[in-house]
Amino acid sequence: MTVLRGRDVPVPCVSSMHAFSRTCWASVGVNARHTIARQRVQHRAQSNRPSLRVAAASVPTKQGGVEAPTQNGAGLKVGKSPDTAGGQLTPSPNLQNPDVYNIEGEDWHKAALSMVVVGASGDLAKKKIYPALFALYVEGHLPDYFTIWGFARSKMSNEEFREYIGQSLSCRLTDKGSCEGKFESFLERCYYHPGQYNNRDDFAALSEAMTEPEKKRKTADRVFYLSIPPSIFTQVAACASDAASSPTGYTRVIVEKPFGKDSESFRQLSTDLYQHLTEDQMFRIDHYLGKELIENLTVLRFANLIFEPLWNRSFIRNVQVVFSEDFGTEGRGGYFDQYGIIRDVIQNHLLQILSLFAMEPPVSLDAEDIRNEKVKVLRNMSPISMEDVVIGQYRGRGNKQGYLDDSTVPEGSLCPTFAAVACFIDNPRWDGVPFLLKAGKALHTKRAEIRVQFRHVPGNLYKNRMGLNMDQTTNELVIRIQPNESIYLKVNNKVPGLGLNLDVQKLDLSYKTRYNKHLPDAYERLILDVINGDKRLFIRNDELEAAWDLFTPILKEIEQKQMAPELYPYNSRGPVGSHYLAAKYGVRWGDMTDNPEEVI
């Protein structure tokens, strides 16, 4: 008998049932999935569709939500598909993804690519976007005919722009000589065009400038990266769609979070964007989904027989998704104070990880099939109660300033810099299993990880040798997203010798020691996915709608009641209340002892 949220519910023995169901799934389900995948590829090959794929018709939304348009939005210019009759279609720059994930290829011998960074002089562009594009160029993942365009209000020449970009580029590959030799050739492809974000004429002039290098190719594809505040997303989308869409290829737009501050503002933002863009054009980026270990999460589950039969309430006691930073806002408190840790981290990064972790096996690796399963998880989650939420705010300790000591933070701010939330998924696989989400600044370690704590061994023969605290000897699977990416499983083991002594050891896979290669930055992976048209790691409209519906009620309650966060010292383990929350469900936080800096 196990306790599930205050109720005694028997946990059935499902080992035989799982064995039968997995056998059937292996013999029938895989063949069915392969058949569906082949049919999709054949259908795409037979249909002469425009290179802009409008798939929004298959995106369901809840009653009262924003309905994605199924036809071209206002001002959207859709060109014809490249003529492939004269030869075979050349694969995407990433040669594996089109075949594996059912992605339509592009003939890069006949197509040019223009990447427009809107907000080109901003911090994100300098620190993340340009280095990611340079890394893709060095590794040969960008097409031969590509250009990068910076667009911002600042006045700058092409030479000044190249010098600005060059300051942020570095060689991260083993062969530094080869990498350094590509700096100049990369910068020669970078151009700058000043303009106002709400001025269609400025975007029309940008489009005319992009046409010059594009005209050498039959098809011109364009990607706009909106590295700008959300308050001007709609203005830029309108101008880019009306005045700078590609006349011969696809036009795609990358949108950075935050996607609103609550359900109402998100729906309004979506409604405004849908006036100018289709769902198929929008790539809502969450850079945490581009992390190597997140990309590996579905592989770990669905490519290894040992995990899927255990991935349910009968064997898993709780799941923890932890995000912690060992530094505070450090002068960026003004921006952070507008959102807080729940909006900034939990409602997007951690909830997206949870949905990937908990989803049912998708029909295929097609982006829509994966995202359909993620949405089901979010819609099956119980409403979050304030009794299952703990908020905190760090205070100064020693020479470390507290949150309110930051000069950019409003005086007397109640903005939480820490939050812990207990969530539940009301479906047959996860009923009663607590999913604990925790995120905070100025904590004792910097880490991001998923911890899966399994149930106790029933009738354990060795319990007299395991000590009084059985929780410390239960099996635990840890997927460390950062730092020192690794996957390890805690198991009980006999200490070598003549006696019978047991201890806990790790069966580990450390990426640093196992793979002698550079791990791509999340932005490299996600930008390449946009070029390829792969939307598996991007967030669909109905996913965000379901996520905001979960968290908007508690966010409003916190703000309307002006709830004071519990104070915790800088570089501590967080508010005491978070431990009481975990104990309420018979859980101990797993990140209290492990050192994430240790290379396993």
Side-chain angles (χ1 to χ4, degrees):
M1 194 77 74
T2 184
V3 178
L4 302 180
R5 284 195 279 172
R7 296 171 293 162
D8 288 338
V9 180
V11 177
C13 176
V14 296
S15 56
S16 58
M17 181 171 64
H18 268 293
F20 174 75
S21 63
R22 300 311 300 174
T23 302
C24 294
W25 184 255
S27 62
V28 179
V30 172
N31 293 332
R33 291 200 298 272
H34 287 176
T35 300
I36 292 171
R38 284 196 301 271
Q39 290 173 347
R40 283 179 175 148
V41 172
Q42 292 168 359
H43 173 71
R44 288 169 177 164
Q46 293 168 359
S47 59
N48 184 23
R49 294 182 297 172
S51 34
L52 174 61
R53 298 172 294 133
V54 181
S58 63
V59 182
T61 55
K62 292 199 301 185
Q63 186 71 24
V66 177
E67 189 69 31
T70 57
Q71 300 297 325
N72 300 338
L76 176 64
K77 299 178 178 64
V78 182
K80 297 180 180 179
S81 299
D83 182 10
T84 58
Q88 188 175 2
L89 197 66
T90 302
S92 164
N94 184 334
L95 299 180
Q96 297 177 353
N97 284 9
D99 295 334
V100 176
Y101 299 119
N102 303 327
I103 304 169
E104 293 181 38
E106 177 64 281
D107 188 347
W108 292 111
H109 288 314
K110 298 180 180 180
L113 173 68
S114 297
M115 173 71 67
V116 183
V117 182
V118 183
S121 56
D123 214 34
L124 176 65
K126 184 176 182 179
K127 291 182 178 179
K128 291 295 184 180
I129 301 174
Y130 303 137
L133 288 168
F134 179 63
L136 291 174
Y137 172 67
V138 169
E139 295 168 21
H141 290 307
L142 294 182
D144 293 334
Y145 299 92
F146 84 92
T147 52
I148 297 171
W149 294 83
F151 185 91
R153 291 174 293 203
S154 309
K155 298 293 183 181
M156 206 184 307
S157 65
N158 288 335
E159 291 72 23
E160 290 171 330
F161 181 56
R162 290 164 183 164
E163 183 179 353
Y164 175 77
I165 290 179
Q167 297 171 2
S168 63
L169 304 184
S170 61
C171 257
R172 292 178 292 170
L173 303 181
T174 305
D175 186 1
K176 290 192 174 182
S178 171
C179 179
E180 290 169 355
K182 295 189 176 182
F183 274 114
E184 290 303 320
S185 59
F186 175 78
L187 292 175
E188 286 173 359
R189 297 167 178 265
C190 300
Y191 302 89
Y192 185 79
H193 190 90
Q196 297 298 314
Y197 296 133
N198 60 351
N199 191 313
R200 282 173 170 76
D201 292 339
D202 289 342
F203 277 86
L206 169 66
S207 180
E208 185 176 351
M210 287 192 289
T211 302
E212 185 62 28
E214 291 173 344
K215 66 183 182 182
K216 299 175 183 178
R217 302 289 97 195
K218 186 172 184 178
T219 304
D221 296 328
R222 293 178 179 179
V223 176
F224 290 81
Y225 198 125
L226 305 192
S227 179
I228 50 177
S231 57
I232 53 176
F233 281 170
T234 304
Q235 298 174 20
V236 171
C239 293
S241 175
D242 292 348
S245 287
S246 171
T248 59
Y250 67 64
T251 300
R252 294 170 180 160
V253 179
I254 304 175
V255 184
E256 275 276 357
K257 74 175 185 72
F259 312 108
K261 296 186 70 173
D262 51 29
S263 294
E264 292 78 9
S265 59
F266 162 70
R267 289 191 177 99
Q268 184 60 54
L269 176 62
S270 292
T271 300
D272 294 342
L273 288 175
Y274 280 143
Q275 301 301 312
H276 312 285
L277 302 169
T278 65
E279 177 68 26
D280 195 57
Q281 283 185 288
M282 281 187 276
F283 287 72
R284 301 177 188 86
I285 191 170
D286 182 336
H287 73 274
Y288 250 75
L289 295 183
K291 300 283 186 183
E292 184 67 39
L293 269 293
I294 299 303
E295 175 83 354
N296 191 45
L297 188 56
T298 52
V299 177
L300 184 72
R301 270 195 69 183
F302 304 127
N304 295 287
L305 181 64
I306 62 172
F307 289 118
E308 183 60 18
L310 305 179
W311 220 259
N312 58 73
R313 62 186 287 266
S314 297
F315 297 97
I316 292 177
R317 190 158 58 105
N318 68 84
V319 180
Q320 303 171 21
V321 187
V322 177
F323 172 96
S324 65
E325 294 177 334
D326 57 0
F327 54 88
T329 52
E330 316 297 339
R332 296 184 66 251
Y335 169 81
F336 180 84
D337 200 80
Q338 300 176 47
Y339 297 96
I341 198 72
I342 296 178
R343 290 186 177 95
D344 194 44
V345 178
I346 293 181
Q347 183 270 342
N348 42 73
H349 299 331
L350 302 196
L351 200 60
Q352 284 294 312
I353 293 173
L354 182 156
S355 62
L356 266 175
F357 175 93
M359 71 180 185
E360 296 296 320
V363 172
S364 75
L365 292 177
D366 185 272
E368 297 310 313
D369 290 334
I370 292 174
R371 298 196 295 180
N372 286 343
E373 298 303 330
K374 288 171 62 184
V375 172
K376 290 177 185 176
V377 171
L378 297 176
R379 290 181 175 172
N380 276 321
M381 292 180 69
S382 304
I384 300 172
S385 165
M386 277 307 304
E387 296 178 355
D388 288 330
V389 178
V390 173
I391 57 175
Q393 186 183 95
Y394 69 88
R395 58 176 175 81
R397 182 165 71 171
N399 63 348
K400 299 291 188 180
Q401 288 188 335
Y403 180 70
L404 295 180
D405 298 325
D406 187 332
S407 59
T408 62
V409 172
E411 185 177 353
S413 172
L414 297 177
C415 177
T417 60
F418 174 98
V421 181
C423 305
F424 293 89
I425 303 172
D426 293 334
N427 66 12
R429 182 185 291 267
W430 298 114
D431 185 34
V433 176
F435 283 77
L436 299 177
L437 312 181
K438 181 172 71 170
K441 291 183 173 292
L443 296 174
H444 66 300
T445 60
K446 178 182 179 180
R447 73 170 82 203
E449 61 190 17
I450 307 167
R451 306 185 78 99
V452 185
Q453 295 183 348
F454 292 91
R455 295 191 181 278
H456 300 144
V457 177
N460 195 332
L461 295 174
Y462 294 97
K463 60 184 177 183
N464 321 350
R465 295 289 179 174
M466 290 182 171
L468 298 176
N469 190 349
M470 296 295 289
D471 287 346
Q472 293 185 353
T473 60
T474 55
N475 300 125
E476 184 177 30
L477 176 67
V478 179
I479 303 168
R480 180 161 294 155
I481 302 166
Q482 68 176 28
N484 296 320
E485 294 86 349
S486 60
I487 302 170
Y488 62 87
L489 178 65
K490 289 185 177 181
V491 298
N492 296 302
N493 189 64
K494 178 184 176 296
V495 177
L498 298 178
L500 181 58
N501 296 308
L502 306 184
D503 68 357
V504 178
Q505 291 296 329
K506 298 173 181 176
L507 305 179
D508 58 77
L509 168 61
S510 172
Y511 277 53
K512 279 188 177 180
T513 56
R514 180 62 184 87
Y515 300 108
N516 184 26
K517 64 182 299 183
H518 162 72
L519 293 182
D521 182 77
Y523 282 90
E524 296 174 34
R525 185 189 312 281
L526 294 173
I527 289 174
L528 183 59
D529 284 348
V530 175
I531 295 171
N532 289 340
D534 183 359
K535 304 194 77 167
R536 290 173 304 115
L537 301 177
F538 294 86
I539 310 172
R540 206 166 62 187
N541 180 75
D542 52 346
E543 289 182 69
L544 274 171
E545 185 177 28
W548 277 122
D549 286 346
L550 273 173
F551 279 94
T552 294
I554 63 166
L555 286 168
K556 286 188 173 181
E557 186 172 352
I558 291 171
E559 291 164 359
Q560 290 172 359
K561 294 183 178 179
Q562 295 187 327
M563 294 183 177
E566 179 184 344
L567 298 180
Y568 62 96
Y570 199 109
N571 285 152
S572 69
R573 299 177 187 274
V576 174
S578 65
H579 301 283
Y580 283 111
L581 175 63
K584 175 181 175 182
Y585 295 107
V587 176
R588 174 189 171 94
W589 289 109
D591 63 328
M592 293 293 101
T593 54
D594 284 354
N595 178 12
E597 298 298 334
E598 174 190 0
V599 179
I600 301 170

